[in-house]
Amino acid sequence: MGKYGIGINRFHLLKKLAGEMYPLNEVGLDPSNKWRYCDIPVVKYNKHMLAVFEPGWNTGLDETMSAFTGQEGDKPEDIPHAMFVERKPEPRGAELEDCADAQCGCIFGLEINEGAAEMAKKEYVNEYGGTAACSLRLSKHLHHSWRAWGGDSWFAGVREVEVGLSFGLYFYGDMKTNTVRYPTTELINRVGPSSGDWEVMTSTVAGG
């Protein structure tokens, strides 16, 4: 039942739903799609959530690991691209980027990380770069709704703030990994030396 376990009733329910969700043959599956055996639940989940769930004003971007210890490959029992993220409770498997309602915690958008080469072909990448493009795809139906759009240090950057504004979203996040054009030196010079010291700074960005 997995490292942390699930109840027997949930196991039987998931088993039943899996049988209804996956086709018994490859009719209708795109042979050029390496994830054709894996992405059906994600596609159906996103479609379902779009129809039944309306997120509140505060949304959040994050990533999730779906544990998998099998082989990489193109067979039904394989995974096309496995990732290893040491800090995760289950470090090996498929990474999914997700968008959730920050108030109730409900995830309403998922995207499989298919690997750098495949992700570079996705929508918005050429115009805005990979990170902002991922965020835009996950929140596509929220564009120009002027919701808050938060993310951790992987998602955060000055460019993401600017792109968010151009799509009618207010971005906030930790500027730790992507610090391009972020006033890191000025911030260090203005805060105190003790843990918990803070400083309020304002800035005007393009489109703001």
Side-chain angles (χ1 to χ4, degrees):
M1 295 296 183
K3 182 176 179 180
Y4 301 104
I6 62 172
I8 189 66
N9 291 335
R10 177 171 291 187
F11 174 78
H12 285 306
L13 175 60
L14 292 174
K15 184 178 179 181
K16 176 179 180 293
L17 292 174
E20 295 174 355
M21 184 174 296
Y22 287 97
L24 298 177
N25 53 56
E26 296 208 23
V27 175
L29 297 182
D30 180 3
S32 66
N33 177 14
K34 296 179 181 179
W35 292 85
R36 62 191 180 277
Y37 303 121
C38 311
D39 66 358
I40 297 172
V42 173
V43 172
K44 291 193 174 185
Y45 181 84
N46 288 340
K47 183 178 180 180
H48 174 73
M49 293 305 292
L50 181 62
V52 304
F53 183 74
E54 181 69 22
W57 68 271
N58 191 12
T59 63
L61 303 158
D62 207 347
E63 67 277 340
T64 304
M65 288 296 291
S66 179
F68 185 82
T69 57
Q71 300 297 313
E72 287 187 322
D74 194 40
K75 298 177 182 178
E77 66 271 19
D78 295 337
I79 188 172
H81 176 75
M83 298 186 67
F84 186 86
V85 183
E86 189 173 4
R87 68 181 184 276
K88 298 294 185 181
E90 295 286 354
R92 186 182 188 277
E95 182 180 272
L96 297 100
E97 271 60 64
D98 50 66
C99 195
D101 185 298
Q103 294 171 284
C104 71
C106 182
I107 295 174
F108 57 85
L110 290 168
E111 180 178 84
I112 299 174
N113 187 329
E114 301 176 14
E118 293 301 318
M119 299 310 289
K121 304 174 186 176
K122 299 286 186 179
E123 186 179 13
Y124 301 123
V125 172
N126 290 338
E127 301 93 329
Y128 306 109
T131 303
C134 175
S135 302
L136 289 173
R137 291 192 301 271
L138 285 168
S139 60
K140 195 168 185 178
H141 66 292
L142 305 180
H143 293 176
H144 304 289
S145 66
W146 297 107
R147 284 174 167 85
W149 193 44
D152 63 14
S153 60
W154 188 87
F155 291 92
V158 174
R159 188 177 191 181
E160 281 60 49
V161 174
E162 295 173 340
V163 170
L165 286 172
S166 69
F167 281 84
L169 296 164
Y170 296 113
F171 185 86
Y172 65 92
D174 302 320
M175 305 290 185
K176 296 190 301 182
T177 304
N178 178 9
T179 58
V180 176
R181 293 192 291 133
Y182 186 72
T184 306
T185 301
E186 291 81 357
L187 183 59
I188 291 173
N189 290 337
R190 292 181 63 169
V191 299
S194 302
S195 176
D197 287 342
W198 56 278
E199 176 73 19
V200 175
M201 302 169 68
T202 60
S203 176
T204 300
V205 298

